[in-house]
Amino acid sequence: MGEAVPLKRPIGRRVTPQRTEYRRLSESAEMGSVARGQLAVLAHNLPCTGLINASESHLLVTLVNTASPEAFDKGGRPIVFKSNQQLAFEINRSVGRVSRMLSNLFDAGLVTMQDSGNYKRYPHRNADGLIVDGCGIDMRILIVRYRELDGLVRQAKAEKAAASAALRRYRGALRNLRYALATATGLSERAQSRLEARLERVVAVVGIAAKASSAALRRATALFEWLIERALQLCSRSESTENSVCANAENDMHKQTTSPDPLVNSSENRRSAHAEQLRLLEAGSASQRAYEASLGGGSRQVNQPKHPPQALVALQDLVRAIPALDTYGFALPRTWAELARIVPQMCRIAGISDDARRRAVDQMGEQQAAVAVAVTLQKFDRQEVTSPGGYLRAMTKRAAAGELHLARSVFGLVARNMTEALN
């Protein structure tokens, strides 16, 4: 006779450190703290968390309902002694499928199992006939982890609701933008083509909206709303240009005045709209290019910083440091006033509240606050900042303490962008 072939598969249920920990944890269950109905509802809702599938949830609900309500009271033992064959009949699955699902529930920490020598399930009763222990499927681990699992269910439902709301807003903003572009009559062909190109680029980045993340949908919705406002502004600007009549035209030539006292007819207060840019064009250093004449010492600022202003970098250096402006479809600002005008849109895209922006303006002044918002937007686009609003508030506090150095941040971003471009 030949030699006996040893069995390759070990006999018995697989023992892992995690299963041993679940068994130990089930011993600390506080009986009477959770009713059977609560556990049944929890087991029914668990598939939304991804821990188990629908078939395993059906089996878990059956196990919970098999134990009597008194078994979950103080002094009770919620242990199920049904065989796999009986459970397979009740949930209309095969015996092998039930065995695999029980193992999955054990690995997920939703049940614990104690096997006998012959794999039979039976209770151990005391003299009064009460179950004190047994070999079967123990449900006490659900009582121990009820708060944790219920929190996961609530979180999953909240995330689903937020994702649905973001998807609805995205689709509504996309529909409104396409309708605005289709019905716009005052847009030039170039402007309309640029807006449509930006629209299609955002749609391509998002991809299938139902599968996109909530953050991506919110950012795309903010871009769509900004593009709608941009289209409306361009339409109103073209209409006002066509229908405007200048009252101060002389010999069919309009002389634009920027007098602070428009009602006073004085040639001394009248100057050209481009007069302030003469020194800007003649300036040769970065410090002179950084300032507009309107923000110099001879003009008044509405929002003055509470601390002495820092030496600002040139606007060209700031534009080089913030490529996110082009990423989100902003026209590159040519003056500090243009940068200040797009600050609210930048805050809306980055998720910065109006209160945080106003505090920054009050503390740093409008120009430095615009630089701080642009730096925050760039770091948010690079995923270096998870809370742009909190980051801007921190910069405002540092500015109040005189410890904010925006120039270092701007030149650091410029150097980083150049390094990435070379690589």
Side-chain angles (χ1 to χ4, degrees), residues 305-316:
K306 297 182 179 179
H307 287 277
Q310 304 178 27
L312 294 180
V313 296
L315 182 59
Q316 295 179 359

Side-chain angles (χ1 to χ4, degrees), residues 13 19 22-29 31 39 60 63-64 67 71-72 76-82 87 102 105-106 109-115 121-122 131-144:
R13 190 176 301 278
R19 289 184 175 184
Y22 287 145
R23 285 178 180 175
R24 185 196 62 79
L25 193 61
S26 64
E27 298 294 334
S28 62
M31 303 306 300
L39 296 179
L60 186 59
L63 293 173
V64 171
F72 296 92
R77 285 298 181 93
I79 303 177
V80 178
F81 306 104
K82 286 183 178 180
L87 292 173
L102 285 175
L105 293 177
F106 199 173
L110 303 178
V111 298
T112 58
M113 302 178 68
Q114 181 66 39
D115 296 326
R121 296 169 183 163
Y122 53 86
I131 299 177
V132 295
D133 200 0
C135 296
I137 307 171
D138 197 342
M139 312 299 299
R140 288 180 294 176
I141 188 65
L142 274 181
I143 299 176
V144 177

Side-chain angles (χ1 to χ4, degrees), residues 208-226:
I208 301 177
K211 297 182 180 180
S213 63
S214 301
L217 292 177
R218 286 193 295 267
R219 293 172 65 180
T221 301
L223 284 174
F224 289 159
E225 293 175 353
W226 179 83

Side-chain angles (χ1 to χ4, degrees), residues 152-423:
L152 292 178
V153 170
R154 293 178 183 273
Q155 180 181 356
K157 290 184 177 180
E159 292 176 355
K160 178 61 177 177
S164 300
L167 180 60
R168 289 194 298 269
R169 286 197 59 191
Y170 169 82
R171 289 174 173 171
L174 177 60
R175 181 174 60 252
N176 293 337
L177 177 56
R178 284 177 171 167
Y179 178 80
L181 294 178
T183 58
T185 57
L187 283 177
S188 62
E189 294 183 0
R190 179 185 177 187
Q192 186 163 1
S193 63
R194 290 183 63 184
L195 292 176
E196 290 177 352
R198 291 174 182 175
L199 165 63
E200 297 303 329
R201 184 169 57 182
V202 174
V203 171
V205 170
V206 173
I208 301 177
K211 297 182 180 180
S213 63
S214 301
L217 292 177
R218 286 193 295 267
R219 293 172 65 180
T221 301
L223 284 174
F224 289 159
E225 293 175 353
W226 179 83
L227 289 175
I228 292 174
E229 295 179 1
R230 182 65 175 169
L232 295 178
Q233 290 174 1
L234 292 177
C235 289
S236 61
R237 185 181 304 174
S238 62
E239 292 176 358
S240 62
T241 303
E242 294 174 358
N243 301 327
S244 63
V245 177
C246 180
N248 296 326
E250 298 179 4
N251 299 326
D252 297 331
M253 181 180 297
H254 171 55
K255 294 183 179 180
Q256 182 177 356
T257 62
T258 56
S259 171
D261 301 316
L263 299 181
V264 179
N265 187 11
S266 173
S267 60
E268 296 180 357
N269 291 332
R270 180 176 300 175
R271 53 184 176 174
S272 172
H274 299 284
E276 297 178 351
Q277 305 299 328
L278 295 178
R279 293 184 60 190
L280 177 64
L281 296 176
E282 297 174 356
S285 62
S287 61
Q288 291 176 335
R289 287 187 284 112
Y291 295 92
E292 286 187 342
S294 60
L295 296 179
S299 62
R300 296 178 298 169
Q301 286 188 2
V302 178
N303 298 311
Q304 292 288 347
K306 297 182 179 179
H307 287 277
Q310 304 178 27
L312 294 180
V313 296
L315 182 59
Q316 295 179 359
D317 293 333
L318 179 64
V319 172
R320 290 167 54 200
I322 315 296
L325 294 176
D326 185 64
T327 302
Y328 293 108
F330 290 104
L332 298 182
R334 294 171 296 179
T335 62
W336 291 104
E338 291 182 1
L339 178 65
R341 280 195 294 268
I342 63 175
V343 165
Q345 286 81 10
M346 288 193 292
C347 292
R348 186 182 305 171
I349 292 174
I352 299 174
S353 63
D354 292 338
D355 179 70
R357 177 177 60 85
R358 286 194 296 267
R359 289 178 182 270
V361 172
D362 293 340
Q363 181 61 49
M364 294 182 279
E366 189 171 5
Q367 188 172 345
Q368 293 191 42
V371 176
V373 171
V375 171
T376 304
L377 177 66
Q378 179 61 30
K379 293 191 175 184
F380 172 71
D381 183 69
R382 298 175 65 95
Q383 298 181 353
E384 296 178 359
V385 173
T386 57
S387 177
Y391 187 78
L392 182 61
R393 291 182 187 274
M395 295 175 71
T396 304
K397 292 182 179 179
R398 294 181 62 185
E403 300 176 353
L404 182 63
H405 304 284
L406 290 174
R408 298 179 184 177
S409 300
V410 172
F411 288 124
L413 290 173
V414 171
R416 191 179 307 176
N417 295 337
M418 293 179 62
T419 303
E420 293 179 353
L422 293 176
N423 294 334

